[in-house]
Amino acid sequence: MRARRSVRVPLALAAALLLAGCRLTSSGEPAGSARSTADPPVSGYGERFLAVDECSSFGTAGFTEVPCTSERAAARVVARYDGSIADGPLCPGTTDFVLHISAQRTGGGTGAGTIPRGYACMRNLEPPHPGDPGGGGGPRTIVGDCVYGSGRGQVRETACDGSGKRKPQYEVVRAVTSRAGCPASTALYVQLGGERPVGCARPV
């Protein structure tokens, strides 16, 4: 019987965005990237650790891969990629959080294998869903999200309904390929990434 794999993940998943005229986020990463880390030490339920449609639990010290039918299941993998998130595909827009997985050797003897470095895009099985439009969180900023000025020419995401710690100041109403595609009423340009990397935002 194979052992479960535990994942230790910091809670800081917020990503900075760009105000008009800014270059990159304060971290030097494109807005919408997530910087959580994970260290799965041993093998688990599936052929691949946290493969698409597999589930994890939320523990007091981290995440553990569990069957999706388990009462402990709390989030499902909606996309899974090898390599670094900086060089790989973006997670789906409504991803709630991202787990970054370090490369690991698993098992021993003839059953030894490896878990490659990669990242899993996770979606909570139950609300709340911070990755939904206007939800105030998630690793990506998408159309329908709201932001507030956080200083030094940057903005951060917050809930559009005002339930967050900071009130929304702008709402992203359109995603376009360049600033020229934004409507004349645009007051702020937000870096989104993807095929339409420019977000057109208006005051709220």
Side-chain angles (χ1 to χ4, degrees):
M1 183 174 181
R2 291 182 291 183
R4 297 179 181 179
R5 294 169 292 191
S6 296
V7 185
R8 299 185 300 277
V9 183
L11 297 178
L13 296 175
L17 310 176
L18 293 183
L19 279 171
C22 295
R23 293 174 294 176
L24 285 176
T25 64
S26 58
S27 66
E29 299 176 4
S33 63
R35 293 173 292 167
S36 59
T37 58
D39 284 319
V42 292
S43 62
Y45 287 99
E47 292 295 325
R48 184 185 193 193
F49 179 65
L50 289 178
V52 173
D53 286 333
E54 289 185 344
C55 293
S56 71
S57 68
F58 293 153
T60 56
F63 294 82
T64 302
E65 184 180 302
V66 297
C68 291
T69 54
S70 169
E71 292 183 355
R72 299 176 57 219
R76 184 186 300 272
V77 181
V78 294
R80 175 75 155 83
Y81 304 108
D82 290 338
S84 168
I85 193 171
D87 302 320
L90 292 173
C91 284
T94 55
T95 298
D96 287 329
F97 62 96
V98 178
L99 297 183
H100 291 213
I101 303 167
S102 300
Q104 299 268 339
R105 284 193 62 82
T106 63
T110 57
T114 61
I115 298 174
R117 179 188 182 192
Y119 55 100
C121 311
M122 308 296 294
R123 174 85 173 168
N124 295 331
L125 295 179
E126 301 289 342
H129 292 291
D132 281 352
R140 291 188 58 188
T141 300
I142 59 177
V143 173
D145 280 340
C146 293
V147 298
Y148 67 92
S150 60
R152 296 186 178 182
Q154 296 182 350
V155 294
R156 291 186 182 275
E157 192 175 330
T158 190
C160 288
D161 63 7
S163 62
K165 292 183 179 179
R166 298 293 299 269
K167 300 298 181 184
Q169 296 177 329
Y170 303 91
E171 179 183 357
V172 180
V173 295
R174 187 180 300 179
V176 295
T177 57
S178 68
R179 293 187 180 187
C182 287
S185 59
T186 299
L188 180 73
Y189 302 97
V190 180
Q191 180 179 330
L192 305 181
E195 295 181 355
R196 297 182 178 182
V198 179
C200 316
R202 65 184 181 191
V204 296

